[in-house]
Structures are given as structure tokens and as C-alpha cells.
Amino acid sequence: MTNNIKNYNYPDSSGHFEEFGGKYVPETLIPALNELEEHYLDQKSNKSFQNNLNNLLKYYGGRETPLYLAKRISKELGYNVWLKREDLNHTGAHKINNALGQMLLAIEMNKTRIIAETGAGQHGVATAACAAKFGLKCTVYMGEEDIERQKLNVFRMNLMGAEIIPVTSGSKTLKDATNEAIRDWVTNVENTFYIIGSSVGPHPYPMLVRDFQSVIGLETKKQFKKQSGKNLPDRLVACVGGGSNALGLFHPFINDKVKIIGVEAAGKGVATNEHAATLSKGKFGVLHGAASYMLQDDNGQVTIPYSLSAGLDYPGIGPEHSFLHKIKRVDYHSVTDEEAVNALQWLSEKEGIIPALETAHAIAYLLSEKNDIEKGEDVIINLSGRGDKDVNTIAKYLGNII
Amino acid sequence: MSRLKKLFKKDRNKLVVFITAGFPKKESTEDLVLQAIEGGADMIEIGIPFSDPQADGPIIQKASEIALSNGISLSVIFDQVRSIRKKTDIPIALMGYYNPILAYGIDNFLNDCKTSQIDGIILPDLPLDEGTFFCEKAKSVNISPILLVAPNTSNERIKLISKLSQDLIYAVSILGITGGDMSSKENLKKYLLRVKDNSECPFIVGFGINSSDDVEWFNNYSDGAVVGSAILKKVLNDPTNKPVYNFVKNLKGRTK
Ligand SMILES: Cc1ncc(COP(=O)(O)O)c(C=O)c1O
């Protein structure tokens, strides 16, 4: 049973969720993080900034996104499954909510150059789109392995004029793309804004990304009430890579009597060495500027994660998730590649919606024997993104060539 | 008086040499450190390799990667330092990232620093904001935390950082990572004078320093110059024929 808490108010003013979070960064970045925090707190209560952002989300991003009662799978499962359709956003995932928000901050702070890291390429595409729209130069760091498995997104970023820098160090995936983006930022901190793609990194990023994504949960709350006639759903489910789509859905419900489930990637299984199940198998540590759980060996060296899904293939997790795990406000599960691909096929066949591989992990929770969902519940799933980018990977996994 | 305090009391040019532990071979640490001392180094920084060295450029990244694949670890490094300590009394600092130290256990780490006679600790990802606990603990066992300042650190913050550090601080010469490009001497001079005016303790300067001219120049405006990437580059290119000794001797050339 999950704990409910009253008046959740984190992070504290120093950017901590108790022992998690903080700013574990080179000194050069401290003034930049402080400046960012100041501007953000200013704009957060600034009506014209918020109006501007809301208009962009609506007319450029396509909000609000529908909350869709998936009747066929609901009938099969014996409870109501509601899908929050973030896949219908411009550029295909929830990532645009955050990219637009940070882009407006960058403009307000007179930064002329944008950098980002990307795993699945969804954040890279969202950032490239915003940069094109506002006429700013954009450089995206992406691991060589991810460039290979998310070719479609690389091409989209190129079309929108972004420069992609392949990262060949370490795991050649999201972890190392993030290292390179941080190194770039340290070097070009004066004119460059680093748009981080998930609720990770040093304070204020985890807070700011969560806040920009919270539009998901706020809309969901209203829509659910209106469409179901009930006050609150019973359960929320989202996949967790760094944790931004999950926090976006969860955060507005954090003080409510609602069960909350985060789903991590178990890759080839948590009993193997090939997974990205940070909360199940990780230990406390410091990576990419924040204290949180992470996959590491006994010497404190970060280990290389694995997931078929590039967006979940990350050895860390946002500090707020580590905190929510510790206080047991959110239950974290993990599902394997195989379960995710099955769920992806199932949703495609039953509802005509092809989810992203990341999102498929949340769907797979419904099919898992380990869930304790009761008949008649109302379960809301964050459908964080669409699967177009993944068709090559899935085809290959299923032994087809397209 | 501590080795660090003694060294920085002396009014002469100082050269600090950075060596990544366990590179190019696991057992190379001692040989390279002794070469540096023979060449004239006044202080040694031993780098603790980390899988994700955010503040490091390509050369130290490469050296760390090789060292980790050689199986280097903190406990091996402490054994190596104990052996080095039998042969030299010059100040030695460890430089690394916070996570391997957390995994080792802070108390355990400081205890081994003590028994292997480490003088200082430099952690680029543990700034003032997060560092109070660790720094106070280190100081309580007479090990000097050496915090960093950067060209964009305010005067007020330099003061606070030097207060917490107490014995020595490390001024990063550039906005950038190790081995990066130097900015104009004019800007550097202004910055270093600012550090001098605001720091309550001596300071060394590093990142991107790679010639004897640099070493001499930086010593005019600070208490010592650190050379790292440039030395490791020599070792990467040709590990034979005492590359560290030869290069350090050359760097030290005019700073007698
Ligand atoms: C569709 C989709 N969902 C989820 C994620 C995971 O990120 P987060 O945990 O920040 O939502 C990604 C990341 O690339 C994604 O593209």
C-alpha cells in the first residue's frame, strides 16, 4: 500500500528532496544554475510568460491532449483504462511540453545557442523544433548506438536544422550524451542554454522539468472528472526513464488518495546484468549533478545499462523519483523488453494506437501478473509517445526486416 | 606544520603535476609520480579514475578509461600511495569525483587518506553548496579539502570557498574542461588578481596549461601552476623513455 502525504512541498530551497537532488557540478556551472533558478522562479509567477507558454502549447504543440477511455482493452481487463494521449503532441511525445518551456526561458535570458542531450531522439526532435521555430542555433548530443536505433529521429532533427554530435565514449547512449552536453555547457556557459530532456541533472532542472510537464496531470485531473463523473481515478501508471512524463502525470495528484505506479525497464530481466531498473537494482550515488539512485559497481563506477528502448536506457533516475520511492508514495515496477514488445503489439491490435517502446513499458504493467489492479478500477496510463520512431527496432526484434 | 602549508609558505615558483592513477598500466602510478618528482615537481595530484568524468577533456577521459579497464580502484590507489610515501615527502593530493568516494564510504576514505598520508583532496563535482559536510570532516582529520573557483565565481563566493578550504584552493583557468583552450592573458590576469584579492589562502591554477612559458607566467599571478593533460598526452604518445621526467624537467626549466 502506498503512503499518502499532505502538503508535499519539494524540493527545498537548496534543491534537495531530503538526501536526493542538489547541485553536484563543477564550480563553473554554479553561477549558471543560480541564474537559471532566479529567472525560472521569476517567470513562474509572471502572467505574460505563462500566457505565452500556454499559447505555444495550444497552437504550436496541439494541447490539450485527449484523455481516451480505451474500451476494448478495458473490457478485456475488467477495469477502465484511460490513456492520456501525449503521443498526439507535436513531434510525437510529451517532450515538447518541457522543450517549449525551457526555450522560452532561454529567450528570456538572452541565450543565443541551445544544446540538448537525447536518447530516443524525442527530446532532441522537440528541442530542434523549438530552436527552428525561434531561429536559434541548436546542437544535440546523441550516443552512437542511439543514432543507429533511432535513425528516423536523427533525420527529423537534421531536417529542422539541428547539428547532431555523435558521442562515442562509454556506453554510446544517453548517459554519455549527457556527459558531453555538460562538458559543452561548462565550456560555453556564457551564451548557451542547456535544455535538459528529463527530470534529472542538478537543481533547478528536476524541479523545472517536472513543473513544465505537470500540464499533463493538471489536464488529466479535469478531464477525468468531467468524463467519468468521478472525483479521482484509482491509479496512475507511467514509464520512467529519467522520469519526466511520470512526474508530469503524478505530481498534481501527489496529495490525493490515488495509487501511483512507475515502470522501469528490466531489459533482459533484473536477474541479468542487462537492464535499466535503477530503483530495483541501483544504489545511492551522484551522477550528472544530482544525488539519486543509480546503477553502479562496488567501486562506485557507473555501469552500462541496457534496454531495447533508447529512452529508458539510462543508469540513473531523477532525484524526485528516488525520494518518492523512499517515502513509498510511488510504487516502482519493472518490465522486460519482451513484455514491452508484447504490450506494444497488444495495444496496436486492440486500440489502433502504436505506442513508443518507452510507453509500452507502462502498458505492459496492465498485462503483468504482478499488478494488483482490481476489477472496476479507473486506471490512467500516460501514453507518453507514439511508436513511429521505433518501427525498425521492433521489426528487427520480431525478426522482420522493413 | 602540514606539508601543504610548508610548501606554499615558500616564495618560489611551483609546479604541480597531475597523474591519472593506473595509467597506462595498473602499476604505472608509482613510476610516473617518481618521474615527476625527479623532474622537479613540487606537488603531485593523483587522479582517481571515474566512469563519467564530467569536468575532463578527451585526454584525461582516455587515461581514466584505460586505467579503469586495467582494474584500478581506490583501494589499489591507497596501496600505491603508501608505497610512494616511503620514497618521498612532497605534498600529494587526490583528485576525483564524488561517487567513487561515496561508494568507498566517506569515513573509510578519509581514514585511508590519513594512513597513506594524503595531504589534500580535490573534488570538481563537490562545490561549496554541497561540500560543507565532507570538507569539515576532512579538516577534522587534518586533510585539506581543496575546493575550486572558476572565472565566473563572484568575489564573495571566492571568499567563502577559501574559508571552507582553509589551506589551498584551485583556480580553474578557463570556462571549460581539462585540456581546454586558454583565454586571453589579459582576461586571465584580471581573474587571477581577483582570486588573489579575495582568497584567504594560497591558490594554484590549472586546466589547459601546457608549456614552460605558461608555468612561468601563471606563477607570476598565483602560487603555482598545475599541468595534467599535457603530461598524460606525452605518456599516451610514448610511454617509454621517461616521458614524465623529461617533460616535467622541461616545464620546470625556467621556474627554479
Ligand atoms: C515517448 C517517451 N516516453 C518516455 C521517455 C522517458 O523519459 P522520461 O522518463 O523523462 O519521461 C522518453 C524518452 O526518450 C520517450 O521518448
Side-chain angles (χ1 to χ4, degrees):
Chain A
M1 180 60 205
T2 47
N3 290 337
N4 287 307
I5 31 173
K6 292 210 174 75
N7 303 321
Y8 182 93
N9 191 15
Y10 291 93
D12 64 20
S13 59
S14 68
H16 292 88
F17 306 81
E18 293 186 353
E19 69 266 46
F20 305 106
K23 291 179 200 168
Y24 294 84
V25 292
E27 174 66 20
T28 314
L29 294 183
I30 294 283
L33 292 169
N34 290 344
E35 184 195 3
L36 174 60
E37 182 178 5
E38 232 169 77
H39 279 265
Y40 173 63
L41 292 178
D42 243 25
Q43 298 308 322
K44 198 177 162 179
S45 52
N46 178 324
K47 271 221 170 86
S48 100
F49 180 91
Q50 293 302 335
N51 281 340
N52 206 352
L53 178 56
N54 287 336
N55 280 330
L56 280 168
L57 287 170
K58 180 172 175 186
Y59 296 106
Y60 186 71
R63 300 207 75 87
E64 63 180 41
T65 61
L67 179 68
Y68 166 69
L69 178 60
K71 288 205 176 123
R72 278 191 80 202
I73 60 172
S74 296
K75 195 165 173 208
E76 179 177 332
L77 295 168
Y79 50 82
N80 293 327
V81 178
W82 302 80
L83 303 176
K84 179 59 175 167
R85 298 290 309 273
E86 292 301 299
D87 59 319
L88 295 178
N89 277 314
H90 178 45
T91 65
H94 66 293
K95 299 284 180 187
I96 192 84
N97 303 330
N98 168 54
L100 278 172
Q102 289 197 49
M103 184 63 71
L104 286 188
L105 281 178
I107 292 165
E108 197 267 331
M109 291 168 71
N110 294 318
K111 302 291 181 185
T112 53
R113 177 173 173 265
I114 300 296
I115 58 170
E117 86 297 337
T118 197
Q122 285 304 116
H123 173 59
V125 168
T127 305
C130 296
K133 183 192 151 37
F134 287 103
L136 293 184
K137 269 182 77 164
C138 176
T139 299
V140 179
Y141 290 91
M142 189 167 187
E144 222 172 30
E145 186 180 324
D146 292 337
I147 287 180
E148 180 55 36
R149 60 180 160 173
Q150 308 280 221
K151 272 187 201 144
L152 185 77
N153 276 343
V154 175
F155 192 67
R156 293 167 78 200
M157 287 185 264
N158 280 328
L159 278 176
M160 292 185 283
E163 176 197 18
I164 318 295
I165 301 191
V167 177
T168 55
S169 54
S171 60
K172 303 179 173 59
T173 59
L174 182 55
K175 166 180 89 88
D176 301 277
T178 307
N179 287 336
E180 275 311 307
I182 292 171
R183 292 185 187 113
D184 180 317
W185 199 32
V186 173
T187 309
N188 301 295
V189 65
E190 284 173 315
N191 69 348
T192 298
F193 192 104
Y194 178 17
I195 299 192
I196 290 188
S198 189
S199 49
V200 299
H203 181 67
Y205 281 107
M207 165 179 87
L208 176 158
V209 174
R210 172 198 75 195
D211 291 353
F212 286 137
Q213 290 294 0
S214 289
V215 65
I216 302 172
L218 291 169
E219 272 179 20
T220 300
K221 214 169 189 174
K222 275 193 221 146
Q223 292 169 320
F224 179 78
K225 209 167 180 172
K226 191 162 168 215
Q227 293 171 229
S228 73
K230 299 174 203 166
N231 247 339
L232 288 168
D234 298 291
R235 193 181 296 253
L236 308 173
V237 185
C239 68
V240 182
S244 67
N245 88 86
L247 286 176
L249 176 64
F250 299 168
H251 198 253
F253 291 92
I254 213 95
N255 292 321
D256 297 325
K257 211 170 165 319
V258 174
K259 282 190 185 177
I260 305 184
I261 315 291
V263 185
E264 297 190 302
K268 296 184 180 169
V270 287
T272 72
N273 286 327
E274 293 179 79
H275 61 76
T278 310
L279 287 178
S280 317
K281 304 294 275 188
K283 283 184 293 211
F284 180 81
V286 168
L287 176 67
H288 295 149
S292 194
Y293 283 91
M294 57 197 250
L295 300 176
Q296 54 182 312
D297 67 16
D298 291 341
N299 292 320
Q301 306 296 343
V302 182
T303 49
I304 293 180
Y306 165 80
S307 169
L308 185 64
S309 143
L312 305 183
D313 196 356
Y314 182 66
I317 187 166
E320 189 159 11
H321 283 286
S322 287
F323 177 63
L324 291 169
H325 174 63
K326 189 190 92 168
I327 65 169
K328 297 192 162 67
R329 176 61 189 100
V330 176
D331 276 338
Y332 292 87
H333 287 246
S334 63
V335 308
T336 61
D337 286 352
E338 191 183 348
E339 291 175 290
V341 172
N342 282 342
L344 182 145
Q345 290 176 290
W346 177 70
L347 189 71
S348 304
E349 283 163 19
K350 292 287 160 67
E351 297 287 346
I353 297 170
I354 305 173
L357 261 177
E358 291 78 17
T359 313
H361 287 71
I363 310 288
Y365 170 78
L366 300 177
L367 299 176
S368 162
E369 284 159 16
K370 284 178 233 145
N371 81 49
D372 59 350
I373 306 173
E374 287 169 23
K375 300 283 166 208
E377 272 193 33
D378 284 288
V379 179
I380 296 181
I381 306 251
N382 195 1
L383 205 88
S384 58
R386 64 180 90 129
D388 308 27
K389 69 182 177 63
D390 294 315
V391 289
N392 275 317
T393 306
I394 300 159
K396 213 162 127 191
Y397 183 86
L398 296 173
N400 301 320
I401 291 167
I402 48 175
Chain B
M1 194 188 298
S2 76
R3 290 189 195 90
L4 275 183
K5 277 208 173 120
K6 235 189 270 174
L7 174 63
F8 289 97
K9 256 191 123 120
K10 289 191 193 138
D11 192 23
R12 62 173 162 89
N13 287 342
K14 287 165 216 86
L15 173 64
V16 182
V17 171
F18 173 92
I19 299 284
T20 295
F23 164 80
K25 299 225 169 67
K26 188 174 179 180
E27 63 282 357
S28 304
T29 319
E30 176 165 333
D31 175 36
L32 298 195
V33 167
L34 295 178
Q35 282 187 41
I37 295 170
E38 195 191 338
D42 299 285
M43 173 175 165
I44 302 290
E45 282 176 16
I46 295 178
I48 306 165
F50 180 47
S51 54
D52 295 81
Q54 278 174 27
D56 285 306
I59 292 172
I60 295 180
Q61 282 178 48
K62 184 89 200 159
S64 304
E65 206 179 309
I66 292 171
L68 286 173
S69 68
N70 290 339
I72 197 76
S73 66
L74 258 175
S75 56
V76 174
I77 293 172
F78 281 122
D79 285 342
Q80 294 177 337
V81 175
R82 282 186 199 100
S83 167
I84 292 167
R85 259 290 166 246
K86 290 184 189 145
K87 294 167 187 151
T88 176
D89 201 39
I90 80 169
I92 301 178
L94 290 180
M95 179 160 183
Y97 293 82
Y98 199 34
N99 198 59
I101 290 166
L102 281 175
Y104 201 75
I106 291 175
D107 289 328
N108 205 13
F109 174 76
L110 289 173
N111 192 45
D112 281 356
C113 283
K114 196 80 210 152
T115 59
S116 59
Q117 300 184 59
I118 290 291
D119 302 287
I121 299 164
I122 307 168
L123 301 173
D125 63 347
L126 193 70
L128 178 67
D129 313 62
E130 305 291 342
T132 311
F133 175 77
F134 179 84
C135 292
E136 292 300 347
K137 243 183 155 157
K139 285 192 291 188
S140 75
V141 292
N142 296 316
I143 293 167
S144 309
I146 303 168
L147 282 94
L148 296 93
V149 299
N152 55 353
T153 306
S154 69
N155 293 345
E156 196 47 43
R157 219 176 129 85
I158 294 173
K159 278 201 187 83
L160 292 172
I161 288 170
S162 66
K163 258 198 193 109
L164 183 61
S165 295
Q166 205 171 305
D167 295 334
L168 183 68
I169 61 173
Y170 187 134
V172 174
S173 57
I174 50 175
L175 294 177
I177 51 181
T178 54
D181 294 331
M182 208 56 88
S183 57
S184 79
K185 287 273 153 69
E186 209 43 48
N187 283 342
L188 270 169
K189 191 170 145 184
K190 258 192 246 159
Y191 160 52
L192 296 176
L193 291 174
R194 205 162 63 77
V195 178
K196 196 180 182 70
D197 281 347
N198 290 286
S199 175
E200 297 184 0
C201 60
F203 69 102
I204 51 179
V205 192
F207 283 33
I209 299 179
N210 57 30
S211 68
S212 59
D213 284 350
D214 285 349
V215 171
E216 190 181 1
W217 189 88
F218 277 98
N219 265 290
N220 292 331
Y221 302 100
S222 72
D223 301 291
V226 187
V227 182
S229 294
I231 290 173
L232 295 180
K233 196 170 169 184
K234 299 277 177 200
V235 182
L236 261 174
N237 290 345
D238 181 10
T240 56
N241 297 321
K242 301 187 92 177
V244 175
Y245 167 75
N246 287 319
F247 192 56
V248 169
K249 196 166 167 219
N250 169 292
L251 286 173
K252 188 74 183 177
R254 288 186 250 165
T255 65
K256 292 277 155 50

